[in-house]
Amino acid sequence: ERDTEPAAPGSAQRDIVITGARENNLRDVSLRVPKGRITVFTGVSGSGKSSVVFDTIAVESQRQLNETFTSFLRNRLPKYERPHVESVEDLSVAIVIDQKPLGGNVRSTVGTATDIWSVIRVLFSRCGTPSAGGATAYSFNDPAGMCPECDGVGRTVHLDLDRAIDWSKSLNEGALLLPGLSVGSWEWSLYGGSGRFDNDLPLAEFGEEDRRLLLHGSGFTVRVDMRTASADMRFEGVVTRFERLYLKRDTAALSEKRREAAARFTVERVCGACDGARLNAAALATRVDGLSPADYARLEISELIGVLERIDDPVGGPVAAAARERLERLAGIGLGYLNLGRETTTLSGGEGQRLKMVRHMGSSLTGLTFVFDEPSVGLHPRDVGRLGDLLVRLRDKGNTVLVVEHDPDVMAVADHVVDMGPRAGSDGGHVVFEGPYERLREADTLTGRSLRRRTPLKGAVRTPTGRLPVRGADLHNLKGLDVSFPTGVLTAVTGVAGSGKSTLVSRVFTAAYPEAVVIDQSAIAASYVGALDAIRRAFARENGVDAGLFSFNSSGACGGCAGRGVISTDLAFMDPVTTTCPECEGRRFHDEVLQHRVAGRSIVDVLEMTAAEAEKVFDDRALLRKLRTLDEVGLTYLTLGQPLSTLSGGERQRIKLATQLHRTSGVYVLDEPTTGLHLADTGTLVDLLDRLVDAGNTVICVEHNLEVVKRADWVIDLGPDGGRRGGELVFAGTPAGLLAHPTSVTGRYLRRDPG
Ligand code: ADP
Ligand code: ADP
Ligand code: ZN
Ligand code: ZN
């Protein structure tokens, strides 16, 4: 009957129809998502947005797609288990564009990941003088083009002699610090037992010849005398030996221990042969319009566009235009400050996500469903507008666009908004609003209310107790920056993407003040785990048994499923089938464990409790303190048994903050702490930061979220733009001062809504 429904204006497309979704915390959710439209999913973190978009829609799309393949193909693809949902109808193929780091290794660059470098290679092979050959001649991932010294990596690894050797000591005193060379060992005897060196002379006093022999000697045999035996051995200098054992072979083949040792004693240097450009001499000697391939890799994208505009001859023109079109897409989404040679492993999650987005923008496929995870991450309000344009263009090519997002400027481009709630975890999992953004602003939901609330600009700021100066910072794009970080206050470091915020705070400042505590979203929360340990101990004490019994990773595990609670069976031609373990019925523990109780509850009962419920059951003081900490950071909705791996970044970050709340006079550094946070959570986060500061601590946040900037005591604004056009101090002072600043981009956006 759906065919007879009136189509949405301008589209003959149907809806994606989801019925009875129960993944994670979802409470039998049914909803329709319009195809060919932009739908933004909102709601506090933990409300169930990802459970709908990623764990139900995207997974089911992938699974249904796999079903259309031959069994031969299917067996070679990742297996998707059917999500907990009655049905999802009228799905199209989903492409997930998330913030997982770009699958990258040292050979993956912005140029190769976007395929733009292959266009540049064509340009050089057609128009370069003198030409080095056909296209692979300009590929650093092909033997025809790569620098032979560094194999196209641009860097070479060397033994760090100052870490490998204690020059103040003699061979007998243990001057050789490398693994396997302890005094008296067989390997040590190659040097100490060779009779060639004065074993009691500090290495610093060795003559030039002895030093060379010890480090690099080779090509002769020495008679090595040990106490118990003697033998003729081929001599090999300390450096030569280390390079053969640790550096000359495929590092993937080295054992973990050896890899660690290698990392401990080595330094990386820019390759001397290609100066980091990765290409061989013939390739690097080629010029197009006076510039070498190395110049093309080093120029910032926004500069490279200008260079390519000058190439307009019949041979090069069309190639240059093709490259330019792709580069303009990157610049258009605020990545103009990157260069093609930049290794993708060094990009932030947000930068990586925008690269993936641009890759798909070039595709002419239509009728797809694009799924985005908070694409505004890392974007200054100035660049969020361009992001919105990109989403609209994707839609207008005939695609469905689903976005999980907290930024009101992104919500504003949505055709349809689905608000999840009412709150998080077991208090969430419902659709609380569906409709256009304008109506969401009036809705009586947490999101609607937060959108109406205005955060006033902080007037009465705290007085700093001191200053932590940074002098002459020049890493990456920083231009010899002198800047002081005030202590005893909340500082926000602002600026457009690529202006140098992370470089200044996460690299330079933390290197200068190593006692600073970095609070990111990735680290595992020890106190949460600590609460579980305390619970196990309480069970052990009460029942006079071993605490390991109360862990499903330990002696308490059900034998039938090894503590997993489920059993997966691989069926040759179908999805693996996961069934509840018949022995423990999904409880993960063996039966005997469940007989042991505290206040009438078994360990399984307790793991299903939220922190708030557990507070009423236990009277162990250490445990109560840990549970209350979860309370203080608003996470009492989490059940105690929820695996840490399933917590959102924001949840992990708040647990980390909770462990710090009782400290004083520490320095805390946070890089974009509002990532993944709803407007309401952002308020809670700043409340937490305020409490840390009130207790005598110093807090420094890299942050483009104006809600945080407004509540800071001090703002350090970098700019004026990204990359080479950034790296300068634009402003340092109070939020009110920034509001009045004539040129700061951040100040300009602050004036849009000063609260
Ligand atoms: P959102 O995307 O709105 O932040 P999620 O959909 O990620 O929320 O999570 C909804 C709830 O389900 C949260 O309480 C979260 O902790 C929980 N959750 C998410 N993934 C899992 C999982 N794999 N197992 C158990 N609980 C989960
Ligand atoms: P922000 O935090 O303001 O977005 P960043 O500090 O990440 O800015 O970047 C500032 C400049 O330094 C940019 O031009 C960026 O491309 C460059 N940059 C950042 N990290 C690296 C790196 N690991 N290697 C090379 N350049 C980098
Ligand atoms: Zn090289
Ligand atoms: Zn079992």
Side-chain angles (χ1 to χ4, degrees):
E1 308 87 331
R2 240 179 289 121
D3 286 353
T4 61
E5 273 180 18
S11 150
Q13 307 220 20
R14 303 197 284 197
D15 295 343
I16 299 172
V17 184
I18 299 140
T19 312
R22 291 195 171 79
E23 196 61 35
N24 300 329
N25 72 334
L26 299 182
R27 300 289 172 85
D28 194 8
V29 164
S30 296
L31 79 157
R32 303 170 82 97
V33 177
K35 284 175 119 172
R37 292 278 179 268
I38 299 174
T39 300
V40 171
F41 289 77
T42 59
V44 289
S45 82
S47 59
K49 303 179 295 296
S50 315
S51 301
V52 173
V53 177
F54 295 99
D55 302 343
T56 305
I57 300 179
V59 169
E60 180 62 9
S61 157
Q62 195 60 52
R63 201 190 63 86
Q64 291 185 10
L65 179 68
N66 285 9
E67 276 185 357
T68 66
F69 296 147
T70 62
S71 60
F72 174 83
L73 257 177
R74 251 185 288 152
N75 282 327
R76 279 154 186 79
L77 291 167
K79 303 248 189 300
Y80 292 90
E81 292 180 10
R82 186 180 243 299
H84 292 282
V85 60
E86 261 163 52
S87 65
V88 185
E89 292 164 61
D90 284 320
L91 268 179
S92 48
V93 173
I95 292 177
V96 175
I97 304 187
D98 56 22
Q99 289 166 30
K100 295 210 187 85
L102 277 177
N105 54 39
V106 292
R107 299 191 166 279
S108 165
T109 62
V110 169
T112 61
T114 54
D115 233 14
I116 297 177
W117 192 251
S118 61
V119 184
I120 303 290
R121 276 162 40 198
V122 172
L123 183 70
F124 270 87
S125 67
R126 290 209 192 142
C127 316
T129 46
S131 177
T136 55
Y138 300 95
S139 167
F140 51 80
N141 289 329
D142 191 290
M146 67 173 58
C147 165
E149 187 66 29
C150 61
D151 289 340
V153 174
R155 294 181 308 249
T156 46
V157 178
H158 305 266
L159 179 61
D160 182 349
L161 281 180
D162 289 327
R163 275 188 260 176
I165 289 170
D166 183 343
W167 298 96
S168 71
K169 288 186 178 160
S170 68
L171 286 172
N172 275 340
E173 291 166 336
L176 305 180
L177 305 175
L178 290 170
L181 293 179
S182 53
V183 178
S185 68
W186 181 249
E187 279 113 327
W188 175 86
S189 304
L190 186 59
Y191 313 105
S194 68
R196 295 253 176 165
F197 307 105
D198 179 344
N199 287 356
D200 293 313
L201 190 68
L203 264 50
E205 292 169 33
F206 269 36
E208 188 57 37
E209 181 52 26
D210 279 352
R211 185 183 153 113
R212 196 201 58 76
L213 191 66
L214 177 69
L215 300 182
H216 302 285
S218 70
F220 58 92
T221 306
V222 287
R223 181 136 195 103
V224 174
D225 287 310
M226 297 263 298
R227 239 170 288 146
T228 50
S230 60
D232 288 325
M233 285 175 69
R234 235 164 34 86
F235 187 88
E236 194 179 27
V238 173
V239 174
T240 322
R241 172 180 173 277
F242 183 86
E243 286 181 346
R244 176 176 60 79
L245 288 178
Y246 292 91
L247 302 182
K248 291 268 160 70
R249 45 172 88 174
D250 182 8
T251 45
L254 291 179
S255 73
E256 189 66 30
K257 240 173 108 186
R258 276 177 174 253
R259 244 201 311 257
E260 268 173 32
R264 206 147 32 90
F265 291 101
T266 52
V267 280
E268 263 189 351
R269 284 194 216 118
V270 172
C271 171
C274 63
D275 195 20
R278 298 169 178 250
L279 293 165
N280 65 27
L284 291 176
T286 313
R287 295 287 179 277
V288 168
D289 202 18
L291 296 175
S292 72
D295 296 325
Y296 271 69
R298 270 179 209 147
L299 280 172
E300 283 182 9
I301 283 166
S302 48
E303 299 164 327
L304 191 53
I305 291 172
V307 166
L308 288 165
E309 266 165 6
R310 296 200 303 262
I311 301 173
D312 54 6
D313 59 286
V315 185
V319 187
R324 218 174 63 215
E325 189 196 323
R326 298 180 192 205
L327 292 167
E328 270 163 4
R329 271 194 233 123
L330 286 171
I333 194 161
L335 292 178
Y337 60 88
L338 294 180
N339 57 308
L340 293 183
R342 176 79 171 271
E343 232 172 70
T344 50
T345 53
T346 67
L347 298 178
S348 71
E351 287 169 333
Q353 188 187 36
R354 290 195 281 285
L355 272 196
K356 292 183 210 171
M357 195 186 295
V358 166
R359 204 155 56 185
H360 288 293
M361 284 305 296
S363 148
S364 56
L365 293 171
T366 71
L368 303 174
T369 298
F370 284 93
V371 186
F372 291 94
D373 182 12
E374 217 186 348
S376 73
V377 162
L379 284 184
H380 190 273
R382 184 194 72 177
D383 299 313
V384 171
R386 308 192 212 169
L387 170 74
D389 296 344
L390 223 75
L391 297 177
V392 167
R393 269 170 46 205
L394 261 185
R395 176 196 65 191
D396 291 348
K397 284 171 76 174
N399 299 297
T400 304
V401 181
L402 309 184
V403 189
V404 171
E405 185 56 82
H406 300 289
D407 189 318
D409 287 342
V410 178
M411 293 178 201
V413 302
D415 302 300
H416 188 67
V417 182
V418 175
D419 193 25
M420 301 296 299
R423 296 189 158 270
S426 51
D427 298 331
H430 297 278
V431 173
V432 292
F433 168 88
E434 286 176 89
Y437 174 63
E438 298 73 47
R439 277 199 17 240
L440 174 66
R441 294 178 60 99
E442 295 157 11
D444 190 25
T445 67
L446 206 50
T447 310
R449 287 196 294 276
S450 304
L451 286 169
R452 290 193 292 277
R453 206 190 47 222
R454 316 291 288 271
T455 306
L457 193 82
K458 191 170 194 165
V461 296
R462 296 183 182 90
T463 311
T465 54
R467 308 208 154 255
L468 301 172
V470 167
R471 296 266 165 265
D474 57 4
L475 187 64
H476 299 153
N477 70 335
L478 298 180
K479 304 216 170 81
L481 221 57
D482 293 334
V483 57
S484 279
F485 291 83
T487 55
V489 303
L490 173 59
T491 296
V493 179
T494 58
V496 297
S499 59
K501 305 181 294 294
S502 298
T503 302
L504 177 64
V505 176
S506 300
R507 301 286 299 272
V508 178
F509 180 84
T510 53
Y513 299 96
E515 69 280 7
V517 179
V518 179
I519 300 199
D520 56 23
Q521 299 203 351
S522 67
I524 296 286
S527 81
Y528 190 50
V529 182
L532 287 187
D533 284 344
I535 288 170
R536 291 191 189 109
R537 280 197 303 273
F539 267 93
R541 234 185 358 254
E542 194 91 359
N543 296 284
V545 290
D546 181 49
L549 215 49
F550 302 99
S551 164
F552 49 73
N553 296 319
S554 179
S555 54
C558 160
C561 60
R564 287 186 58 227
V566 289
I567 294 174
S568 322
T569 319
D570 262 322
L571 303 174
F573 303 108
M574 282 189 262
D575 295 321
V577 173
T578 312
T579 46
T580 304
C581 168
E583 226 167 285
C584 63
E585 294 173 325
R587 289 189 293 252
R588 298 169 150 230
F589 290 93
H590 62 74
D591 266 355
E592 185 214 321
V593 178
L594 305 183
Q595 309 308 318
H596 301 302
R597 301 201 165 223
V598 170
R601 311 304 208 285
S602 75
I603 182 73
V604 171
D605 299 332
V606 171
L607 290 179
E608 280 169 5
M609 288 178 185
T610 63
E613 289 161 349
E615 275 183 35
K616 299 186 194 113
V617 172
F618 291 90
D619 54 9
D620 177 311
R621 252 202 275 139
L623 173 59
L624 284 179
R625 213 173 29 244
K626 292 196 165 107
L627 294 177
R628 296 227 174 92
T629 334
L630 288 177
D631 220 347
E632 291 177 280
V633 294
L635 290 177
T636 40
Y637 63 85
L638 294 177
T639 62
L640 294 175
Q642 187 172 331
L644 286 169
S645 61
T646 65
L647 297 182
S648 72
E651 287 169 340
R652 284 197 293 266
Q653 182 184 48
R654 269 189 276 164
I655 290 179
K656 269 201 104 176
L657 275 171
T659 65
Q660 308 287 342
L661 277 176
H662 303 286
R663 289 191 41 179
T664 54
S665 73
V667 178
Y668 295 97
V669 170
L670 298 92
D671 199 338
E672 268 207 75
T674 66
T675 300
L677 295 191
H678 186 264
L679 284 170
D681 297 326
T682 303
T684 316
L685 176 79
V686 184
D687 291 343
L688 273 177
L689 300 180
D690 268 337
R691 281 176 54 192
L692 270 178
V693 175
D694 287 338
N697 299 290
T698 300
V699 177
I700 300 165
C701 296
V702 170
E703 191 54 81
H704 64 269
N705 188 319
L706 297 177
E707 300 297 305
V708 178
V709 178
K710 285 179 182 176
R711 292 182 59 182
D713 300 300
W714 193 256
V715 185
I716 293 173
D717 191 45
L718 301 184
D721 211 304
R724 267 197 263 283
R725 287 176 291 158
E728 295 169 32
L729 183 65
V730 173
F731 170 84
T734 63
L738 180 62
L739 189 70
H741 192 273
T743 59
S744 160
V745 183
T746 312
R748 188 164 86 224
Y749 278 86
L750 208 53
R751 284 196 287 280
R752 263 196 342 181
D753 178 20

